[in-house]
Amino acid sequence: MKKDFSRRLQMIDTLRGFALLNMVLFHFFYDIFMVYGLDPKWSLHIGTIVWERFICVSFILLSGVSLHFSKHAYRRGLIVNACGLLVTLVTAVAMPGQAVWFGVLNLIGCSMLIGRLCQPVLDKIDPFAGAAASLALFAVFYGVPERYIGFFAVKLLTVPGSFYQFRYAAFLGFPSEGFRSSDYFPMIPWIFMFLLGCFLWHIVRRLRAEELFRRGLRPLSFLGRHSLVIYLAHQPVLMGVCVLLFDVMGLR
C-alpha cells in the first residue's frame, strides 16, 4: 500500500535531506583533499570547520526533534547503533588510519535510547528552560574531550587527567592519550545538542507552529526519509568515484 505523507511533517524530512546533501558533498571533498592528499590541511581551514559543525549540529538537532515522532525509539536506537558499529568495523579494516570510533551514528543511537528512557521526565520540564539549559550545558562541556571546561573555546578549568586514563571512556567524552577517530562525537557534550532538539520541538508545539513544518520540498524530503541508508552507502560510492578519477583516469 502506498504511504500517505499528507499528514507527515515534511519540512523535517526536507531539512534532514538538506543536511544529508551537505554531508555527502563534505565527505567528497574530504576524500579528495585528505584521503587522496590534494590538500592535507583542508580540514584545518576555518570554512571547513564551520561547515562540518553546521552539518553535525543539523543532524543531531533534527534527531532530537524526531524522537517525538518515533513509535519504536528503542528499536530505532539499537539499529542506528548497529549501523555505527558497522561503520567502525569497515573503516578499521579498509582504512585503519581513517577509522571511525564512536561516530555520529553511535551518538545519535545512544541519545535516542537515553532520550526515550528519560522522556517522561523531559516532557515535564518547561521547554524554554530545558532548551536554555541544554544549550548552556553544551557550551560549558564543549571542551571536555579536549580536557577543559569553559564556554565553547574559552577555557576556564582543566579536567583532571585521571578522567582520561581509561581507554573505553572515550565514548563518554574522555579520550585517552593517542585516541584517534576520523568521526568522533562523544556523549559529552553532544547529548545536550540532542536534548536541545527535543525541547525545541516542545517550543514549536507551545507556539502552535506545527503547520509551518507540514510542507517541504519532495526531493529533499525523499532523501531525508532514507537518510540512514544513504549515509551507509554514500562513502563507498564516493570512494569508488575517487578511485575512478584519480587511480584509473590519473587526474590530479
Side-chain angles (χ1 to χ4, degrees), residues 12-28 51 54-56 58-60 62 104-105 219-235 238:
I12 295 175
D13 290 328
T14 294
L15 293 173
R16 189 184 296 109
F18 176 71
L20 187 68
L21 282 181
N22 267 281
M23 180 202 67
V24 171
L25 187 59
F26 180 90
H27 283 166
F28 187 46
W51 189 17
F54 169 76
I55 295 169
C56 298
S58 300
F59 269 115
I60 297 168
L62 288 169
V104 70
L105 289 183
L220 289 178
S221 293
F222 176 83
L223 295 177
R225 291 195 300 272
H226 300 87
S227 57
L228 183 59
V229 173
I230 295 172
Y231 184 94
L232 293 174
H234 83 281
Q235 192 62 289
L238 293 179

Side-chain angles (χ1 to χ4, degrees), residues 20-222:
L20 187 68
L21 282 181
N22 267 281
M23 180 202 67
V24 171
L25 187 59
F26 180 90
H27 283 166
F28 187 46
F29 283 121
Y30 183 91
D31 293 341
I32 292 173
F33 294 127
M34 301 299 293
V35 177
Y36 274 83
L38 270 66
D39 183 2
K41 295 183 179 180
W42 179 77
S43 64
L44 302 177
H45 300 330
I46 184 63
T48 302
I49 295 171
V50 171
W51 189 17
E52 188 263 349
R53 292 291 97 169
F54 169 76
I55 295 169
C56 298
V57 166
S58 300
F59 269 115
I60 297 168
L61 275 178
L62 288 169
S63 297
V65 169
S66 300
L67 183 68
H68 296 285
F69 313 114
S70 178
K71 295 180 179 179
H72 306 285
Y74 289 121
R75 184 175 69 184
R76 182 72 173 174
L78 292 173
I79 291 173
V80 173
N81 263 312
C83 291
L85 292 174
L86 178 62
V87 170
T88 295
L89 177 62
V90 172
T91 55
V93 172
M95 301 182 297
Q98 301 289 334
V100 173
W101 300 97
F102 206 79
V104 70
L105 289 183
N106 287 120
L107 178 274
I108 291 174
C110 289
S111 296
M112 291 176 69
L113 296 174
I114 294 172
R116 178 49 56 88
L117 181 65
C118 299
Q119 196 164 16
V121 175
L122 296 174
D123 289 346
K124 296 179 181 178
I125 299 174
D126 178 81
F128 291 96
S134 297
L135 183 57
L137 289 170
F138 178 76
V140 169
F141 292 110
Y142 183 80
V144 165
E146 301 296 329
R147 306 196 176 197
Y148 72 88
I149 292 175
F151 189 80
F152 290 113
V154 178
K155 302 178 182 180
L156 299 178
L157 298 171
T158 300
V159 181
S162 58
F163 283 89
Y164 302 88
Q165 298 302 310
F166 185 54
R167 61 181 298 186
Y168 297 108
F171 84 97
L172 290 175
F174 305 102
S176 59
E177 194 70 33
F179 175 82
R180 295 289 183 274
S181 176
S182 63
D183 182 43
Y184 178 51
F185 287 88
M187 298 302 295
I188 300 174
W190 290 99
I191 191 171
F192 299 117
M193 185 59 62
F194 180 91
L195 293 177
L196 176 59
C198 294
F199 286 118
L200 286 178
W201 187 250
H202 277 307
I203 291 176
V204 170
R205 285 175 170 169
R206 175 76 67 87
L207 299 176
R208 299 181 179 179
E210 294 100 323
E211 287 302 315
L212 296 176
F213 293 83
R214 191 70 65 187
R215 297 191 178 190
L217 299 175
R218 285 192 173 272
L220 289 178
S221 293
F222 176 83

